[in-house]
Amino acid sequence: MAKFFIELLQYEFNLTEEDINLLQKTMRKQSRTERRYYYQNLKTKEKDFIHYLQEIYQSLEPEGQKQWLDTVVQSMLDRGGDPDISDALVMKIIGPLTVYNQLRIKSETDGIKLNILVNFGGLGTVIILFGAITALVMYLFSR
């Protein structure tokens, strides 16, 4: 699914096979050498990638924009909710909250279980839980 966005970038920026392979991986699945290559070569072009994709996205009709959203959501669902680098670029254009809300809705309707802490609610829950436990411990020590 994300290959659509990578193909758009490939034609415009003449990406190599290594670039394409990195854009299809999540940051967690990259090796140390791949991350080094990414930050030295692709991260420097990220603003140009986003600008180019944003021009295309804004020129689309609402149906085309919805199709981009559906493509990103399906691509993320295929990986359990983790975005690869190309999905992350498109998420910056569409809006992360819009994508994650659609991802949550689609995963619930399709019965697909997301990886832990993928969506915004997971990390927020951990922070709130940690804060509540800390407050309880502080309260007990102050008595």
Side-chain angles (χ1 to χ4, degrees):
M1 289 291 170
K3 290 183 180 189
F4 169 73
F5 304 116
I6 294 172
E7 287 175 2
L8 288 174
L9 294 173
Q10 181 181 12
Y11 292 126
E12 181 68 20
F13 295 98
N14 298 323
L15 300 176
T16 64
E17 281 297 318
E18 189 173 2
D19 295 342
I20 293 168
N21 289 334
L22 284 177
L23 288 173
Q24 293 176 347
K25 288 186 174 183
T26 63
M27 288 302 285
R28 293 182 202 172
K29 298 209 177 182
Q30 290 180 2
S31 68
R32 183 178 213 164
T33 56
E34 289 173 333
R35 270 193 220 114
R36 181 175 294 130
Y37 179 84
Y38 168 74
Y39 282 107
Q40 289 176 350
N41 298 315
L42 292 178
K43 188 70 172 174
T44 57
K45 300 177 188 176
E46 187 173 289
K47 288 182 183 178
D48 296 331
F49 292 164
I50 291 172
H51 182 71
Y52 174 71
L53 290 173
Q54 193 168 24
E55 286 177 356
I56 295 172
Y57 181 76
Q58 289 176 348
S59 69
L60 295 172
E61 298 290 324
E63 297 163 359
Q65 292 179 354
K66 175 78 168 109
Q67 187 177 15
W68 273 40
L69 175 63
D70 293 340
T71 303
V72 170
V73 168
Q74 187 59 48
S75 175
M76 290 174 64
L77 279 175
D78 293 343
R79 272 181 259 85
D82 289 331
D84 62 15
I85 295 173
S86 65
D87 292 337
L89 291 173
V90 177
M91 281 175 49
K92 289 178 183 178
I93 296 166
I94 297 173
L97 287 177
T98 305
V99 173
Y100 278 116
N101 285 335
Q102 194 69 21
L103 176 71
R104 184 182 50 80
I105 291 168
K106 182 117 168 108
S107 70
E108 288 174 1
T109 57
D110 293 351
I112 298 173
K113 186 173 179 169
L114 298 176
N115 295 337
I116 297 173
L117 299 178
V118 165
N119 56 3
F120 280 82
L123 186 57
T125 304
V126 170
I127 292 170
I128 290 171
L129 182 63
F130 182 74
I133 291 171
T134 304
L136 179 65
V137 169
M138 291 176 67
Y139 173 74
L140 292 175
F141 279 129
S142 69
R143 291 182 91 200

